[in-house]
Amino acid sequence: MRCFRALLLLLGGLGALAEICEIPEVDSKIVEGLGQRILPWMDLLSPEYLNPSIYVGLRLSSLQAGAKEAPYLHSLKLHYQQSLLGPASTADGDGHFQAKPSMGQLALYLLALRANCEFVEGRKGDRLVSQLKRFLEEEKMAIGHNHKGHPHTSYYQYGLGILALCAHQKRVHDSVVGRLLHAVEHHQHLHLSVDTMAMAGLALTCLERSNLNLDQRHRIALAIGTTRENILKARTSEGYFGNVYSTPLALQFLMASLMPGVQADPACLNTRAALLASLQDGTFENALMISQLLPVLNHKSYVDLISPDCLAPRVMLEPAPETPSPTRAPEDIRVGLRVRSVLPTYGRTVSVPAGSSLEDVLKKAQELGGFTYGTQASLSGPYLTLVMGKEAGEREFWQLLRDPDTPLLQGEFRVLPLLDVSPICPSDGPLQLTPTFP
């Protein structure tokens, strides 16, 4: 059983930039299959399921959800305007109170409006823009003028916030942009991930194209080049950038920052076959990851939201045909689970059905007693925040490892959700939950 699949983008090095940014046409049936995986999410209009990234990815793709798109956008508007412009917390239909959306969620919502060719306007729009600018100012202050601090959220959300305001032609102060530029310039010290660098690069590319922050234009251009080089250097031997799930954003940035006239590397000729193989393999299953990949397959990026083409023809998505349920129950597998950072060290073998997710293993261990965990909801699913009473703190998180110390890609902090962890192989050895610092 293949438990960990890779997106094999067999790309060349620095000299292959032009070809890297020109992903060949992918079979329409494969693209349609990706769209069908996010189509059911368009029917989930309650606040806990609404995800602006899904709407943005679909609008930048070659696919459309037809009559589902308008009600989905309407639900996004109701939720984000009520939750952001209303009281400190709002109650849902069941009377449960929900916290205000984060800076990143607000930024994605503003990108969703641009994906529908809308600019934020009027009193409510001005208040949303002011809110996002306040978020960025607070993060700027947390980083500090000497750059010795860190954002309360992350540089990923910081870059996303700048990108959203840029797409709406809203200028942010040079000092706000300066914090992002410094982060890119000192990426090695800050240990920025590939997806964070890609988001920063998309924001800076938007500023460059929109002629915003002209006093920093030269520095922005240099930072874009630095980001491009760093992402290309992060290409793994398998061919993806950083890891399989950071690759879509990396490709969005590489396409957006394309330098014409660069000679392609012959290795790029393998890109089409490798990409097709990975898509056919079902590597991308999470809705958020798919929403970042669909624009790439349509030769688009978030930077295209500066001037989106809302009249471009898109193929109507039809629901995927239902597959018959298996007639035989899956066999059980045994998975070892241990936590070395608590005293006494926790260790236990758990039996779960073959094909179970990591969260299934954690749930089973908790049911058996002696093990506890907690998660936090996010746009891409729940994230592990609590293990054996130890809660992830500021700039601290739980890392999931496969014995002896191989990180589980789909369990990484912030980027990847627990629910979409690939099926676990009994031959992979026990999973270790180890606290890690960025």
Side-chain angles (χ1 to χ4, degrees):
M1 177 174 63
R2 300 187 63 185
C3 291
F4 298 95
R5 298 176 287 242
L7 177 61
L8 302 178
L9 292 174
L10 304 180
L11 307 176
L14 292 176
L17 180 60
E19 190 69 18
I20 285 173
C21 299
E22 296 176 2
I23 300 300
E25 293 296 329
V26 175
D27 189 293
S28 60
K29 292 295 183 183
I30 296 177
V31 178
E32 182 181 356
L34 288 172
Q36 286 172 335
R37 292 179 183 174
I38 65 173
L39 194 58
W41 289 86
M42 305 293 288
D43 295 321
L44 303 177
L45 303 181
S46 55
E48 66 268 29
Y49 294 114
L50 287 172
N51 187 337
S53 183
I54 291 177
Y55 186 83
V56 173
L58 197 59
R59 296 286 296 192
L60 286 175
S61 76
S62 59
L63 307 169
Q64 65 162 308
K68 296 178 184 288
E69 292 186 9
Y72 196 81
L73 181 60
H74 179 68
S75 297
L76 284 173
K77 290 180 177 180
L78 285 179
H79 169 59
Y80 278 87
Q81 290 179 11
Q82 290 176 358
S83 58
L84 286 163
L85 304 180
S89 59
T90 56
D92 59 20
D94 298 323
H96 300 118
F97 282 88
Q98 300 178 339
K100 285 181 177 290
S102 66
M103 177 173 69
Q105 291 171 331
L106 171 55
L108 281 171
Y109 168 63
L110 294 185
L111 290 181
L113 295 180
R114 284 304 296 136
N116 195 47
C117 291
E118 295 183 38
F119 281 107
V120 284
E121 56 187 3
R123 185 175 61 87
K124 290 183 178 179
D126 289 342
R127 289 178 64 189
L128 290 176
V129 169
S130 296
Q131 177 66 64
L132 184 50
K133 287 187 175 182
R134 278 196 298 271
F135 275 137
L136 288 169
E137 281 292 331
E138 291 170 1
E139 296 292 64
K140 183 191 78 172
M141 297 300 292
I143 296 169
H145 68 276
N146 57 4
H147 305 282
K148 294 189 180 299
H150 302 280
H152 295 301
T153 55
S154 65
Y155 280 106
Y156 181 97
Q157 289 198 40
Y158 194 83
L160 180 58
I162 293 176
L163 172 64
L165 290 172
C166 173
H168 282 270
Q169 297 295 298
K170 303 296 183 181
R171 188 182 184 278
V172 296
H173 196 274
D174 283 347
S175 61
V176 173
V177 176
R179 299 294 194 274
L180 186 63
L181 288 168
H182 185 273
V184 169
E185 293 161 352
H186 297 81
H187 68 96
Q188 292 178 324
H189 173 69
L190 294 173
H191 305 292
L192 299 184
S193 63
V194 168
D195 63 310
T196 297
M197 288 193 292
M199 184 57 71
L202 287 166
L204 296 174
T205 302
C206 182
L207 294 178
E208 184 180 56
R209 286 197 189 178
S210 300
N211 292 316
L212 297 172
N213 302 88
L214 290 176
D215 290 344
Q216 295 178 302
R217 186 172 182 82
H218 178 66
R219 192 179 174 194
I220 288 173
L222 290 177
I224 291 172
T226 298
T227 302
R228 184 188 302 115
E229 292 177 4
N230 291 331
I231 287 179
L232 291 174
K233 288 177 183 177
R235 186 175 64 87
T236 67
S237 58
E238 293 85 358
Y240 45 82
F241 299 102
N243 64 56
V244 60
Y245 301 104
S246 57
T247 298
L249 272 184
L251 288 172
Q252 280 200 39
F253 166 69
L254 291 173
M255 286 192 299
S257 64
L258 176 63
M259 291 173 54
V262 180
Q263 186 176 1
D265 189 286
C268 292
L269 297 176
N270 295 322
T271 301
R272 175 183 169 82
L275 180 58
L276 285 176
S278 68
L279 294 177
Q280 289 171 336
D281 224 11
T283 301
F284 289 90
E285 298 176 352
N286 175 260
L288 181 66
M289 300 298 108
I290 293 174
S291 72
Q292 294 176 348
L293 176 62
L294 285 175
V296 173
L297 300 179
N298 195 35
H299 304 90
K300 298 287 185 180
S301 76
Y302 291 158
V303 177
D304 287 294
L305 295 175
I306 296 173
S307 182
D309 183 1
C310 292
L311 299 179
R314 294 183 292 144
V315 177
M316 181 69 70
L317 270 174
E318 299 294 340
E322 294 186 7
T323 55
S325 57
T327 56
R328 186 177 63 179
E331 61 177 314
D332 283 350
I333 59 174
R334 295 172 63 81
V335 180
L337 177 68
R338 68 170 177 254
V339 187
R340 294 183 297 182
S341 62
V342 297
L343 293 175
T345 300
Y346 172 86
R348 185 160 191 167
T349 299
V350 178
S351 294
V352 294
S356 295
S357 72
L358 174 58
E359 189 167 46
D360 293 330
V361 176
L362 302 184
K363 283 182 178 179
K364 184 67 174 181
Q366 185 162 264
E367 290 171 2
L368 294 173
F371 175 81
T372 59
Y373 79 101
T375 61
Q376 178 179 339
S378 76
L379 290 182
S380 55
Y383 290 84
L384 187 66
T385 57
L386 180 71
V387 176
M388 304 295 284
K390 170 63 176 176
E391 188 170 9
E394 185 176 353
R395 301 190 59 74
E396 181 182 6
F397 59 94
W398 285 94
Q399 186 178 33
L400 309 173
L401 302 175
R402 182 179 62 191
D403 191 47
D405 57 3
T406 303
L408 294 178
L409 290 181
Q410 288 183 316
E412 288 184 49
F413 176 74
R414 184 184 58 73
V415 182
L416 303 163
L418 285 173
L419 286 178
D420 289 337
V421 170
S422 301
I424 299 167
C425 296
S427 60
D428 284 335
L431 298 169
Q432 303 173 38
L433 307 183
T434 307
T436 309
F437 299 86

